Amino acid sequence: MKAGVHCRCSKCYTVPSRKRVRKRTPALTLLSLPEEVLLCVLQCLSAEDLLSVRAVHSQLRDVVDNHSSVWARVSFRDTWPSPKSLWLFERAAEKGNFEASVKLGIAYLYNEGPLLSDEGRADVCGRKASHFFSLAESLRSPSMDPFIWVFIRPPWSPTGSCCKAVVFDRLKAECDNNAEKRGPLLHCLARVLQLFEEDGRRSDAISMLEESSQAGCLQSSYLLWEHNRKTAMADPGRYLQCIRTLRDYAGKGSWEAQLSLAKVCSSGNPLGLESKACSDLVAQLFSPSNQAARHCTQDILRRGIKDTMRYILVDWLVEVTTMKDFSSLTLHVTVGCVDRYLSLRSVPKARLQLLGIACMVVCTRYVSKEILTIREAVWLTDNTYKYEDLVRMMGEVVSVLGGKIRGPTLLDYGEVLLSLLPLERRTTHLFSYICELSLLYSALATPPAAKLACAALLLTRALHHYAPLWPGQLVDYTGFSKQDLVSLSVLLYVKCFSQDVPRDYRHVSLTGVKQRFEDEAYQHISKENQVMDFKELCQMLEIPEVEPEMEPPSPTGQPADIHTFLASPSSTSKRRRDDAMQAHRANAAATPTAELSNQEETLLGDMLDWSLDTSSSGYEGDQEGESEGERDSDSSMISIQLHPLTEEETRLEHCRALSSDEDSFCEAENEASKDCPGQEPQSFSTDLHSSGYSSIQSVSPSSTCSSSLIPCTFKTFTTCPGAASSADAQPGFRLLVPMQRPRGTSSKQVKRKNSAAHSGGEVEREGDRFSANAGFLSL
């Protein structure tokens, strides 16, 4: 009998044959992970994903419900409180989620998201907003600068109930009942009262700062020092004690105190220290160990924001700053917030302008006396975005930045340098000009602000032929030698004074900073006829004349690279076109060019004769300062756009007029009727209204443009060989054509009023900052 084969007998038949069972490897699931690893995984999920995971298994549900750290770290990215998700936000906020607390506070303050009835809305929203604002402030480190006062600062609504006033009163009551939150909350209340004009409220603010300082708030202590400084300067003994107190605050980590102490020690030696000790004290401010980590250019580029896109955004923010007469500090803080946000979160190209204007709205409330209201900010984008879009983006910015709005900027370090070694007034304007030009370039966002300020000063002294270029006093007080700064100074020169200025799709050079410094207040510093050439600069810096490698030219002919275009809101600046475009109108008219029919050629020829010969830049809002003759026969714009056409499509599309912002003009008429009761308000045609600003060409379907720009689309058969081949590209051009405006129609900018009673109005002053914890020399 063969092996392995049984016979049919009962003995063999009853013995079962052995079967080989293969052991299966147990499957690895989330439940098999150690609890510590599982918590790390759950903390990285979004709120919606966390709820989905929680519903999978009872064990996962228990882990999520029993660990508050999961709720504290869950992400609410691009999510806003709504009636359906309100419970989720509130649960996460109560568990210690900062992002949920901030968004809930802003949502209730502006009544954006939660649906509440109009009856008692301000009181209900105010109580809710104060609770979540207080919760958000308590979740931050005590050394950080309190920030919630930014949202409840005046102006408040003069009539009816004001949600900001309700929040203020509720926070004041909470200070009496909660000793732990007393310090930062009293600081916020004091900052709010300081912005009122009444002397009684300002004296109350000083009292609150004293109580906050006693409760351990370092920022309140520094504000009290600033308040008492002027009175102490009259008495040498009191002034010496004042400087010693400032040194103590600097040693505790207040970066504002560190800057003030550096300015005092660089302009003199009030502490009576040895020269070496005094210079070391200032040098600590410029040391790399004292520098906060700056945003990385590669992080921004990795998130899809190219250099040209960022340049266009910053150039537009410069023009908003110029038009609204904000300070350079406001601009620097705004750009810093934009870069920090972009290094942490990706932003769709169509919402890049929304991010920029949201950062400016927040920063003007923080550092500026005059603020940018939300409705006016929406108007500045030509209603490309809605009121609620801007409110939600403000919540995203503040929550992502952790409430850190203000930090040491290029200008702060520049003030220390100029107090150490003052320059002539014109040279000082050149230094400020270079500092603002540096904001435009992503490559200059990486170096520490202190080193970049020193490099800008070295370049400034070289351009105005100062000798020696970098004295030993600057070496001692900054810790940077000339060799440490030369390469960065050359990069500044190449970037800031390069002729390759990015342009928009209309071939208009983006020179907002240059136009800003053409003003008489800056002694027309940007109009200097001749800037030192590169060869002479290398000789002054004593370096080999090696032409640095330049980046490729800006992609003006590649619309796919610039999905977002930001137009000028400035009404006084005039954009410059190339001489080549003036000489060759046909080539400048379209990108790409196209063969047109006789009828189209005649029409476009008439349009070009006007559009290229006029002094208008092509931006709406450029006509505010027109002469009387221009007022009598004002011209608005018609926008023409050419697109490539397939052979099947042979007819022209009709012109479509877009609706405009009527509210601002209605309010202007009402104001005019109040100012001139004897005159009847003028009536305008609806399609002649204009918000006064042209905006980015967003891919969002909600994008709108002013009705004085009427887009007409003509489709053509052929395109130029250099047209962009990307699928995202939208080859074509936009052309401006005159359309007569009736006499008496005003083209002036109209500022919208914020009439929302629940959010109050909005006007600000030099303000607050966030703490950069750094060790300082205690002497």
Side-chain angles (χ1 to χ4, degrees):
M1 185 170 51
K2 294 182 180 180
V5 179
H6 296 281
C7 63
R8 302 297 295 177
C9 67
S10 59
K11 183 178 179 179
C12 294
Y13 191 77
T14 56
V15 179
S17 59
R18 295 183 178 180
K19 295 183 179 180
R20 183 178 296 177
V21 180
R22 296 182 180 180
K23 295 183 179 180
R24 295 182 179 180
T25 305
L28 186 64
T29 64
L30 278 176
L31 298 176
S32 60
L33 294 175
E35 186 171 323
E36 295 79 5
V37 178
L38 180 59
L39 288 176
C40 292
V41 173
L42 295 177
Q43 289 172 1
C44 298
L45 298 178
S46 65
E48 295 180 359
D49 293 339
L50 183 65
L51 291 180
S52 301
V53 170
R54 182 180 178 274
V56 169
H57 196 276
S58 59
Q59 184 177 343
L60 292 175
R61 183 180 65 248
D62 294 339
V63 171
V64 171
D65 293 344
N66 296 331
H67 291 82
S68 59
S69 61
V70 175
W71 291 98
R73 297 285 299 276
V74 68
S75 172
F76 289 91
R77 178 176 181 178
D78 298 330
T79 307
W80 193 255
S82 64
K84 293 183 179 180
S85 63
L86 200 58
W87 69 273
L88 184 60
F89 275 85
E90 291 182 349
R91 179 172 184 178
E94 297 297 339
K95 295 291 186 179
N97 191 293
F98 178 79
E99 183 179 9
S101 302
V102 169
K103 290 185 175 181
L104 281 172
I106 296 177
Y108 279 114
L109 180 67
Y110 294 101
N111 194 28
E112 175 51 43
L115 298 179
L116 299 175
S117 60
D118 291 338
E119 183 179 358
R121 182 178 60 187
D123 184 63
V124 174
C125 287
R127 285 190 288 107
K128 288 280 190 179
S130 64
H131 171 70
F132 290 110
F133 275 144
S134 173
L135 190 58
E137 196 66 74
S138 65
L139 295 174
R140 305 171 72 233
S141 171
S143 61
M144 300 178 71
D145 200 352
F147 75 100
I148 61 175
W149 66 272
V150 171
F151 297 101
I152 61 174
R153 55 154 293 165
W156 292 349
S157 176
T159 58
S161 57
C162 176
C163 190
K164 292 182 180 180
V166 174
V167 174
F168 181 88
D169 294 336
R170 298 287 299 183
L171 291 177
K172 188 175 181 181
E174 188 173 353
C175 290
D176 300 331
N177 302 327
N178 194 330
E180 295 180 358
K181 300 180 180 179
R182 186 175 178 81
L185 291 185
L186 280 174
H187 176 88
C188 293
L189 298 178
R191 295 299 298 268
V192 172
L193 292 180
Q194 281 182 327
L195 297 174
F196 286 97
E197 299 296 333
E198 296 87 348
D199 294 336
R201 291 191 174 185
R202 292 191 174 185
S203 61
D204 292 341
I206 299 301
S207 302
M208 287 184 175
L209 286 177
E210 291 175 351
E211 294 181 28
S212 177
S213 177
Q214 294 173 2
C217 183
L218 183 59
Q219 291 75 23
S220 296
S221 300
Y222 175 76
L223 289 182
L224 281 175
W225 178 88
E226 275 191 335
H227 177 74
N228 299 325
R229 179 184 180 182
K230 291 183 180 180
T231 57
M233 291 182 69
D235 184 358
R238 290 182 61 186
Y239 183 66
L240 176 60
Q241 181 60 36
C242 182
I243 300 302
R244 289 174 176 172
T245 303
L246 178 65
R247 182 181 59 185
D248 294 339
Y249 295 156
K252 291 179 181 178
S254 172
W255 65 267
E256 294 171 296
Q258 294 171 7
L259 283 170
S260 298
L261 183 61
K263 293 176 187 177
V264 170
C265 293
S266 59
S267 58
N269 190 3
L271 293 174
L273 303 174
E274 296 181 358
S275 58
K276 181 69 168 63
C278 188
S279 62
D280 289 344
L281 187 65
V282 179
Q284 287 189 53
L285 184 69
F286 292 87
S287 64
S289 61
N290 195 42
Q291 298 298 314
R294 295 195 75 190
H295 30 268
C296 181
T297 306
Q298 295 300 324
D299 290 341
I300 298 176
L301 295 178
R302 196 181 303 119
R303 298 181 187 278
I305 304 300
K306 299 187 178 180
D307 289 340
T308 306
M309 299 175 189
R310 183 185 176 278
Y311 187 105
I312 295 173
L313 173 64
V314 176
D315 183 84
W316 182 76
L317 291 175
V318 168
E319 294 186 339
V320 174
T321 303
T322 304
M323 187 199 71
K324 296 297 296 177
D325 200 23
F326 292 141
S327 64
S328 292
L329 179 61
T330 302
L331 177 64
H332 280 261
V333 175
T334 300
V335 175
C337 287
V338 170
D339 285 340
R340 282 192 291 144
Y341 185 92
L342 290 176
S343 65
L344 298 171
R345 291 276 179 92
S346 59
V347 178
K349 301 177 185 67
R351 295 173 64 85
L352 191 58
Q353 187 188 21
L354 178 62
L355 170 64
I357 200 64
C359 289
M360 178 158 283
V361 168
V362 174
C363 292
T364 55
R365 284 162 168 73
Y366 203 94
V367 300
S368 178
K369 184 177 181 180
E370 297 292 335
I371 68 171
L372 184 63
T373 65
I374 296 178
R375 295 188 184 278
E376 189 177 13
V378 171
W379 177 48
L380 284 171
T381 66
D382 200 23
N383 296 312
T384 303
Y385 310 101
K386 299 179 182 179
Y387 181 94
E388 53 268 25
D389 294 334
L390 184 52
V391 169
R392 297 181 181 192
M393 181 56 78
M394 289 168 57
E396 292 285 346
V397 169
V398 175
S399 60
V400 169
L401 299 184
K404 300 177 183 178
I405 301 172
R406 168 87 159 92
T409 65
L410 203 59
L411 295 183
D412 295 317
Y413 292 107
E415 289 180 2
V416 176
L417 293 172
L418 295 181
S419 63
L420 176 64
L421 213 61
L423 303 174
E424 296 178 359
R425 184 184 174 192
R426 186 170 180 81
T427 308
T428 303
H429 291 324
L430 177 61
F431 176 75
S432 302
Y433 179 45
I434 293 175
C435 288
E436 283 205 14
L437 285 173
S438 68
L439 295 176
L440 296 167
Y441 301 96
S442 301
L444 297 175
T446 303
K451 186 175 183 180
L452 188 62
C454 293
L457 180 61
L458 175 61
L459 178 60
T460 301
R461 293 174 64 89
L463 293 178
H464 277 192
H465 303 278
Y466 275 69
L469 285 181
W470 197 252
Q473 186 180 6
L474 287 174
V475 177
D476 295 336
Y477 278 79
T478 64
F480 293 112
S481 64
K482 177 183 170 184
Q483 289 70 25
D484 297 333
L485 304 172
V486 163
S487 58
L488 189 54
S489 296
V490 171
L491 179 62
L492 270 170
Y493 174 85
V494 172
K495 290 287 186 181
C496 297
F497 297 100
S498 171
Q499 298 300 319
D500 181 31
V501 178
R503 306 168 190 165
D504 58 33
Y505 59 79
R506 294 173 301 178
H507 293 269
V508 176
S509 298
L510 302 175
T511 56
V513 176
K514 181 176 175 61
Q515 294 164 11
R516 174 177 169 85
F517 280 82
E518 287 176 354
D519 191 83
E520 186 179 356
Y522 300 102
Q523 295 185 330
H524 314 286
I525 191 64
S526 62
K527 287 185 176 180
E528 284 193 351
N529 296 330
Q530 188 174 2
V531 180
M532 181 185 298
D533 60 15
F534 184 73
K535 180 179 180 181
E536 186 179 356
L537 178 66
C538 291
Q539 291 176 353
M540 291 203 65
L541 296 178
E542 299 175 349
I543 58 174
E545 183 185 347
V546 179
E547 190 72 27
E549 295 183 3
M550 296 294 295
E551 295 179 359
S554 57
T556 56
Q558 299 177 8
D561 289 341
I562 311 176
H563 289 217
T564 308
F565 171 75
L566 299 117
S568 167
S570 176
S571 59
T572 57
S573 59
K574 303 299 180 184
R575 300 279 182 163
R576 298 178 179 175
R577 298 176 183 271
D578 286 344
D579 296 336
M581 188 179 67
Q582 294 279 3
H584 305 285
R585 295 180 177 178
N587 294 335
T591 307
T593 56
E595 295 181 2
L596 306 176
S597 65
N598 294 335
Q599 183 179 2
E600 294 168 352
E601 208 169 279
T602 303
L603 175 61
L604 291 178
D606 295 339
M607 296 171 180
L608 282 173
D609 288 338
W610 176 85
S611 64
L612 293 183
D613 291 337
T614 184
S615 60
S616 171
S617 67
Y619 290 89
E620 283 194 75
D622 283 351
Q623 303 294 330
E624 184 176 8
E626 72 271 25
S627 63
E628 294 182 2
E630 291 173 327
R631 292 192 191 102
D632 292 340
S633 179
D634 198 3
S635 296
S636 55
M637 316 297 180
I638 299 179
S639 175
I640 308 297
Q641 188 168 4
L642 267 69
H643 292 286
L645 184 68
T646 60
E647 295 184 1
E648 292 80 5
E649 299 172 308
T650 57
R651 63 184 184 86
L652 299 174
E653 286 190 356
H654 65 281
C655 300
R656 55 185 181 89
L658 300 180
S659 61
S660 65
D661 188 357
E662 300 178 13
D663 297 339
S664 58
F665 280 87
C666 294
E667 293 173 4
E669 292 174 19
N670 295 336
E671 291 182 2
S673 61
K674 292 179 182 177
D675 297 338
C676 306
Q679 297 180 3
E680 294 183 1
Q682 296 177 352
S683 59
F684 305 118
S685 173
T686 302
D687 19 316
L688 293 177
H689 291 168
S690 170
S691 65
Y693 301 96
S694 187
S695 171
I696 63 168
Q697 300 303 317
S698 170
V699 298
S700 170
S702 62
S703 302
T704 60
C705 69
S706 172
S707 63
S708 60
L709 282 176
I710 306 178
C712 302
T713 307
F714 293 88
K715 297 193 175 179
T716 58
F717 288 98
T718 59
T719 61
C720 111
S725 57
S726 171
D728 301 352
Q730 298 177 2
F733 74 94
R734 294 182 65 83
L735 178 62
L736 300 177
V737 194
M739 180 179 66
Q740 290 299 321
R741 188 191 298 268
R743 287 173 177 265
T745 304
S746 173
S747 63
K748 295 220 173 210
Q749 301 159 354
V750 181
K751 181 177 178 180
R752 282 184 150 197
K753 293 183 178 179
N754 187 353
S755 57
H758 65 273
S759 62
E762 324 173 68
V763 211
E764 185 144 61
R765 89 188 272 189
E766 290 260 28
D768 220 343
R769 304 118 207 216
F770 80 83
S771 165
N773 221 353
F776 222 73
L777 180 63
S778 298
L779 297 174

